[in-house]
Amino acid sequence: MNVQVSSTTLSPGGLRLAHVEDVTEFGAGLEAWNVVYEQLSPGRFEGQIREIWIDEGLEILREAGSRSVWTSGCNIDGVVSFGAPIANGGAGLYYGVPLDDGAVTYLPGGGEFEIFCRGTMDMVSATISEQLLQGFASADSPQLSEKLFRQPLIRQRPQEAARFRRALTEIVQAVERHPDLLSIEASRKAMRDCVLAIAVETLDPGTRKLAWSLHPSAKAWIVRSVREYALDHPQDPLNIADLCQLFRVSRRSLQYAFEDLTGMGAVQFLRNVRLNAVRREIRRLAKNSSESIANIAARWGFWHLPRFAEYYRALFGELPSETRQRDYGCNLIRPTADD
């Protein structure tokens, strides 16, 4: 047996990485799960566990194994779990139903499950406390906030499945490269809201069917209120879930109001507000470059650094490093022609 764990802190903001060479030890140490893994194809087994606790109520788990694996067990009470196979992973079964790249699985708290991964195992999942999911859904999908499904589900939602995989794998990769992201509240909130939004969209069967019609004055009130709040709280890393609760509007109402009146969505508007805040800090700290641009960006909720750089360049026409270098150069004492 060979289990190597880089961190055993599994409290809010915790990261656990493990390399396993015995399938019987694959699920050791998981706090949100009680599972048994069985190797079904011959050969030496090698597996990797990447477990992240964004906060006390949200765990992200990436499991990869080199052999065909049958997994059975349950999650803990008081949570719900969403899972999806990684693209190009082996086909499999979930409760006897074919599991492919377009599927998303759902498991209620304390629910027993069986998953068979043929060829190799590569799964990503998010386990969310019922209270956290219900609170997030209250402004967006009231029917979900009142009652969650009590039976395991598998849904063919290719677009949501692709977004789900991409979001969770990007979070895992970002935290693995920069574990200090978990110590920054704005980054954790951004990650959490991203996962919760996809979970609600995946679980709510009526998400795509609902149509909202707001009076122009209501739209104007939403946009004006959000704008004033952003200006009055320049150091607050705003997010959509906070605004929905603060102004008692749904996520879709917020989105439609901004699209109609500003030509951009609420997410883009708030992202641009935060990008401007980052730019101000980069310029203000140009003389003292001891703090990295990555840390400044993370304080404003930008945990995915390559995408942050893309957003920044698209808005300002230059990279963050170019802003710093230009302002740093302007602050240097330059010799005159008489020197």
Side-chain angles (χ1 to χ4, degrees):
M1 179 184 70
N2 181 10
V3 180
Q4 300 172 355
V5 180
S6 62
S7 173
T8 57
T9 302
L10 295 179
S11 56
L15 166 66
R16 177 177 181 265
L17 308 174
H19 178 77
V20 180
E21 296 181 356
D22 187 326
V23 71
T24 62
E25 298 293 332
F26 203 37
L30 297 180
E31 290 191 352
W33 299 90
N34 181 15
V35 294
V36 174
Y37 297 83
E38 298 175 346
Q39 178 178 334
L40 297 183
S41 60
R44 179 180 177 181
F45 180 85
E46 291 188 11
Q48 288 186 328
I49 291 285
R50 295 172 174 85
E51 184 182 27
I52 298 171
W53 284 91
I54 293 179
D55 56 31
E56 190 174 358
L58 177 53
E59 178 230 39
I60 296 177
L61 180 63
R62 173 80 183 269
E63 308 166 277
S66 60
R67 295 291 178 260
S68 177
V69 174
W70 185 283
T71 308
S72 60
C74 64
N75 56 5
I76 61 177
D77 291 328
V79 302
V80 295
S81 300
F82 298 82
I86 300 299
N88 300 322
L93 299 172
Y94 180 71
Y95 277 96
V97 178
L99 184 65
D100 57 30
D101 292 347
V104 180
T105 65
Y106 168 80
L107 186 69
E112 297 184 353
F113 74 98
E114 294 180 342
I115 292 181
F116 171 59
C117 295
R118 184 182 299 119
T120 59
M121 175 186 186
D122 199 350
M123 295 283 297
V124 65
S125 64
T127 295
I128 308 166
S129 76
E130 290 187 4
Q131 182 178 4
L132 180 61
L133 185 60
Q134 289 172 333
F136 185 88
S138 61
D140 201 37
S141 301
Q143 66 271 31
L144 290 183
S145 67
E146 296 171 359
K147 183 178 181 180
L148 294 172
F149 295 106
R150 296 302 173 186
Q151 296 295 327
L153 299 172
I154 180 169
R155 284 189 163 160
Q156 290 295 328
R157 295 278 186 87
Q159 292 184 347
E160 284 87 347
R163 290 183 57 208
F164 179 86
R165 284 194 303 269
R166 182 172 62 251
L168 266 61
T169 54
E170 286 179 350
I171 290 173
V172 170
Q173 291 168 359
V175 172
E176 192 171 356
R177 287 193 297 264
H178 304 286
D180 57 331
L181 287 173
L182 293 176
S183 65
I184 301 173
E185 176 64 19
S187 294
R188 290 207 314 274
K189 287 178 67 177
M191 295 178 193
R192 182 187 64 202
D193 287 352
C194 175
V195 176
L196 291 175
I198 297 174
V200 169
E201 184 178 87
T202 301
L203 197 56
D204 184 0
T207 295
R208 297 177 178 179
K209 299 177 182 178
L210 295 177
W212 293 83
S213 178
L214 296 175
H215 192 276
S217 62
K219 296 177 184 178
W221 177 84
I222 291 173
V223 172
R224 185 175 64 252
S225 298
V226 171
R227 177 180 177 274
E228 290 175 354
Y229 188 89
L231 293 175
D232 291 340
H233 299 78
Q235 300 301 319
D236 187 2
L238 301 172
N239 61 73
I240 299 301
D242 292 340
L243 293 173
C244 288
Q245 293 215 351
L246 184 64
F247 298 109
R248 299 182 182 277
V249 296
S250 74
R251 179 177 294 263
R252 285 182 289 275
S253 296
L254 197 69
Q255 181 75 4
Y256 294 157
F258 271 86
E259 288 178 350
D260 287 350
L261 297 186
T262 71
M264 68 178 70
V267 171
Q268 183 181 357
F269 176 85
L270 292 177
R271 183 172 66 228
N272 289 347
V273 168
R274 290 185 290 129
L275 286 170
N276 276 276
V278 172
R279 184 177 179 85
R280 288 193 294 269
E281 288 205 39
I282 291 175
R283 299 197 65 186
R284 180 173 60 85
L285 298 174
K287 293 182 180 180
N288 179 15
S289 58
S290 59
E291 183 173 19
S292 69
I293 291 175
N295 282 348
I296 296 174
R299 282 207 309 272
W300 288 93
F302 294 104
W303 53 268
H304 192 283
L305 298 182
R307 188 171 295 124
F308 157 71
E310 292 176 6
Y311 290 149
Y312 190 98
R313 180 165 57 181
L315 185 60
F316 299 117
E318 63 182 11
L319 291 170
S321 58
E322 293 172 332
T323 301
R324 167 169 281 180
Q325 185 61 38
R326 174 172 50 77
D327 287 324
Y328 176 76
C330 291
N331 288 319
L332 295 177
I333 298 177
R334 301 184 184 278
T336 65
D338 295 333
D339 291 341

